[in-house]
Amino acid sequence: MTASESGTAAPPARPAPRHGPADPVRLLMHRHRILCERAVDPLEIAAGLEAHGVTDRAAARFRHRDVFSLAEELYARVPRADEPVRRPAPGPTAEREPDPDLEPDPEPDPLLVAPAPRSRFARGAVQLLPGALALATVAAHAAVRHPTRHLVAAVDAAGLLLTALALRLALRHGPLRLRHRPGSRAVVLWAGWTVGYAVYGDWLLAQLLSGGPDVPGPHPRATVATAVALACAVVPAAGCAHWFAVRGRRGLASSRALAELASRVRPLLVGATGLFLGAALALAVGAHLLLAGAGRPGGRSAVLAAGALALLLFLARLLAVHGFPTAAAAGLGSAAVLEAAALCLVLAARLPGLAPLGTPVETLVAAAGPAAVPAVACALAALGLFARGLRALTGACAHPPAAAPERRGGTPLTDRPEAHR
């Protein structure tokens, strides 16, 4: 007897199983659960997702047009970590019992949080200290009554040491402080090379072009005005960095999409860069006019070289402060490579048959002086960093809230991959 004959209908066939999750966002919810629970708004979730490499293209796989719309869904679906705390207060005789579902906020790692001065006056004084000590060193050098080589060397060494310590203190406090992780050694190495070349590179290049340097030979002559201008440029750098950070966080709070945030932050970056460049050039002109007798100023090329180097250092520090130290090291390293290549070409031109290698450097020096080499190198590197900043510094992850902890969910928000940009 068949099923039709017995009057019993056969059960309907089950539909074929679907491959892949029906809810593609659920996997992302579990993966970033702690970030979503502790976020105060969707923009904070968007910043965390961007820091972990989730781009608009990746958001399309989760059926969203961009990262911000994906963050809005995560913010709406994941319960907040502070919601259990918002319960009615117990009566006067009731006892509060610990909630096992609530996890205490992780304490900030003291190694990741640098000490900061308590008052604005102290922070401003810290930023003024490098320039003040540099000027004091020049004044002490000129005030030596009976100059001897050993006494002058001692005064210069003491002033250089104090200025370097003051510069380190200024970079550890205020707007130029790296809040998330210490700077890489590559940034320090390339920054030291570019500053050293700005001070002694003109003298060295002139000696190489003239057939030197002779050993033993004349004492190296430093471009003192450039060094003083760079030390004094810490103040406008801190001011412009603070202005950009504050306005960037305001733009993040008022934006409702990543494209809107980028359109708000780009003019801020252009304005901060223009303000600092104007201040740096003004300081370079003033220093070269004031210290025309100290070293060899070098004319307009030296002023342009000081301004270009100051701008390069400012953009590199700005990128490092906002979580992109790799880009900062690449910009400084490219300038250092160009400066070293100019010296190597002059040396290689001395070999038989390789004289044409030194022609580009000789032509540039003959037209604009030895300072034209660092001016061109630093200007090209600064232009590259500025183009990188127009993309990197306009994202949500570059502007975390000022009061936000350094780490959420045990993962630093600034350990962001830069390859997806």
Side-chain angles (χ1 to χ4, degrees):
M1 182 184 298
T2 63
S4 60
E5 294 175 352
S6 63
T8 304
R14 294 183 178 180
R18 295 179 60 184
H19 296 282
D23 187 1
V25 183
R26 184 176 297 276
L27 178 62
L28 201 64
M29 290 170 54
H30 289 289
R31 184 179 301 173
H32 303 285
R33 178 180 58 85
I34 298 179
L35 170 66
C36 297
E37 288 178 350
R38 297 177 179 174
V40 296
D41 54 24
L43 283 173
E44 191 169 347
I45 298 180
L49 293 177
E50 193 179 19
H52 286 86
V54 180
T55 61
D56 291 344
R57 182 178 298 179
R61 296 199 301 267
F62 298 97
R63 304 172 186 174
H64 284 272
R65 65 181 184 275
D66 53 27
V67 179
F68 183 78
S69 62
L70 178 61
E72 282 186 329
E73 180 178 350
L74 292 175
Y75 183 78
R77 295 179 59 177
V78 178
R80 307 277 74 73
D82 56 350
E83 285 180 356
V85 182
R86 300 172 183 172
R87 56 181 180 269
T93 58
E95 295 182 359
R96 295 179 180 268
E97 296 182 358
D99 193 343
D101 296 332
L102 294 179
E103 297 180 0
D105 293 337
E107 298 181 358
D109 193 346
L111 297 178
L112 296 176
V113 181
R118 297 182 179 180
S119 66
R120 294 183 179 180
F121 176 79
R123 288 195 295 268
V126 167
Q127 310 303 327
L128 287 170
L129 200 55
L133 287 176
L135 289 172
T137 302
V138 174
H141 178 92
V144 176
R145 294 295 182 182
H146 301 285
T148 61
R149 175 170 294 185
H150 298 290
L151 182 58
V152 172
V155 171
D156 294 344
L160 179 62
L161 177 60
L162 292 177
T163 304
L165 293 177
L167 180 61
R168 185 173 183 268
L169 183 65
L171 295 179
R172 286 175 58 88
H173 299 288
L176 300 178
R177 174 170 63 94
L178 295 178
R179 293 172 176 82
H180 309 289
R181 56 184 174 183
S184 62
R185 295 180 180 179
V187 175
V188 178
L189 175 63
W190 300 131
W193 169 272
T194 54
V195 173
Y197 189 94
V199 177
Y200 288 103
D202 296 349
W203 173 87
L204 179 59
L205 182 58
Q207 291 291 317
L208 292 177
L209 291 174
S210 62
D214 299 328
V215 180
H219 191 270
R221 300 192 64 177
T223 310
V224 181
T226 299
V228 173
L230 292 175
C232 295
V234 175
V235 177
C240 293
H242 175 71
W243 181 83
F244 176 76
V246 172
R247 298 305 188 278
R249 286 194 294 267
R250 291 180 183 177
L252 178 64
S254 60
S255 300
R256 303 308 302 168
L258 295 180
E260 182 181 355
L261 173 64
S263 64
R264 291 176 181 269
V265 175
R266 280 195 193 95
L268 298 178
L269 180 60
V270 174
T273 303
L275 286 174
F276 176 77
L277 180 58
L281 289 176
L283 288 173
V285 171
H288 282 79
L289 292 177
L290 180 64
L291 305 173
R296 293 181 179 178
R300 295 181 180 179
S301 299
V303 173
L304 294 178
L309 176 57
L311 179 62
L312 174 63
L313 295 174
F314 170 72
L315 291 174
R317 192 67 182 184
L318 196 64
L319 283 167
V321 165
H322 288 270
F324 300 94
T326 304
L332 291 171
S334 60
V337 168
L338 289 176
E339 293 171 347
L343 299 177
C344 293
L345 287 177
V346 175
L347 289 175
R350 298 180 180 181
L351 299 176
L354 299 180
L357 292 178
T359 302
V361 180
E362 295 175 358
T363 303
L364 183 61
V365 171
V373 172
V376 172
C378 294
L380 292 176
L383 185 61
L385 280 188
F386 181 72
R388 181 71 175 92
L390 288 176
R391 297 185 59 188
L393 298 180
T394 55
C397 60
H399 306 278
E406 301 296 333
R407 294 180 298 174
R408 292 193 177 273
T411 303
L413 290 180
T414 51
D415 287 345
R416 62 198 65 154
E418 300 187 27
H420 72 279
R421 291 190 170 274

